[in-house]
Amino acid sequence: MADGVLPAQTIRAMIADGTIAADPAALPEQVQPASLDLRLGTVAYRVRASFLAGQGRQVADRIAEFEMHRVDLTQGAVLEKGCVYVVPLMERLALPAGVSAVANAKSSTGRLDLLTRTITDGGVEFDRIPAGYHGPLYTEICPRSFSVLVRPGMRLNQLRLRQGEAVLDDGELAALHARDALVDGVPLISGGLGFSVDLRPVSGDLVGYRAKPHSGVIDLDRIGAYDPADFWEEVRSAQGRIILDPGAFYILVSREAVTIPPDHAAEMAPYLAMVGEFRVHYAGFFDPGFGHAAAGGTGSRGVLEVRCHEAPFVLEHGQVVGRLVYERMAERPDMLYGAGIASNYQGQGLKLSKHFRR
């Protein structure tokens, strides 16, 4: 197998041969073009603090150290804002020596400010699973803005598997853009494809949304059910700038429309650690075909999930806030984002999660 991100057809084969095991068995709809959705199990452990298992230690033992109480999810249960929970997932891995994995929150999870990170036995990093890992998977869930109602089988995070090294360097990224435009305009290539924030919309002055601090519970199974005004304040600007408030969570949008060619995948990453007053984007995976003509797209703008840290910060139109790191696929996937599959955000602009009415 060639080096690169493993496509849908390889993921299906790994499920079939037991490399990816699940109880109950994995569902076809969990397989995405370049990732596998992971499912919540039947119990959540409320813990005192976030933790990593650490070298040579098991997550189950650490849960026993930090557990405050356990929550039965079988009939549905509320995970409360500001609390930390650990949920065993239905999937487990028996990875070959050359295959590693990285996890990330799904788009709708990130847009609810639902901090969701994968942890493993022996793990010393969140969301990073070393090559050859054999063992269970757990997710840490910390609702930051809204309390949420969850049930077993819900898919809040996703797993991307890769053989060897797959990241494109800046020269390779420039060459890819030259033959298959990745952005509508002059690309800013530096450690990935840079993108900036749009605070001067073509029409009107709505530039984003800010989470209200005291809202109701969101049932994650209810799609298009909630009035945005009950959970979000509109952020408007006629000057092309806004001031981010410490601790507040915002939904904004990139100025650039980006594309992911069918034989590549991408992950969103911070642009500069030195721009440390805010964090952009919890849900970082972009699938093959996102915004691409081969999947019926004409470029899609990236939705930015922004949390401001210690000090108020002036964010201005066109300010570079993040970068897309592109990776090769080991093989072109047999399905593309937005092409005949239930892709909620193809062709997107400024857009809340799928739980809210348009």
Side-chain angles (χ1 to χ4, degrees), residues 113-169:
D113 197 19
L114 194 56
L115 182 61
T116 306
R117 304 187 287 194
T118 300
I119 52 179
T120 60
D121 289 347
V124 294
E125 292 182 279
F126 291 110
D127 288 334
R128 297 294 187 266
I129 302 170
Y133 176 76
H134 283 55
L137 300 173
Y138 300 79
T139 189
E140 174 197 286
I141 302 172
C142 181
R144 305 287 302 276
S145 289
F146 313 115
S147 296
V148 293
L149 178 63
V150 301
R151 299 176 184 84
M154 282 185 170
R155 304 181 310 217
L156 303 189
N157 54 347
Q158 55 195 335
L159 192 71
R160 181 170 280 180
L161 300 116
R162 64 169 63 87
Q163 168 93 25
E165 289 300 319
V167 174
L168 273 61
D169 63 28

Side-chain angles (χ1 to χ4, degrees), residues 203-250:
S203 60
D205 60 359
L206 178 65
V207 297
Y209 299 91
R210 170 180 158 150
K212 289 186 172 182
H214 308 291
S215 302
V217 173
I218 295 176
D219 181 340
L220 298 184
D221 271 342
R222 299 188 64 200
I223 308 304
Y226 296 100
D227 184 346
D230 292 336
F231 295 85
W232 301 93
E233 300 169 356
E234 292 183 344
V235 178
R236 296 182 178 273
S237 174
Q239 295 81 36
R241 68 172 181 266
I242 59 174
I243 297 177
L244 303 177
D245 288 328
F249 177 73
Y250 298 82

Side-chain angles (χ1 to χ4, degrees), residues 8 19 68 71 73 78-79 120 122 142 167-168 247 251 273 290 314 324:
T19 301
M68 297 172 69
V71 182
L73 303 183
V78 173
L79 305 185
T120 60
C142 181
V167 174
L168 273 61
I251 296 292
F290 179 85
V314 177
L324 279 179

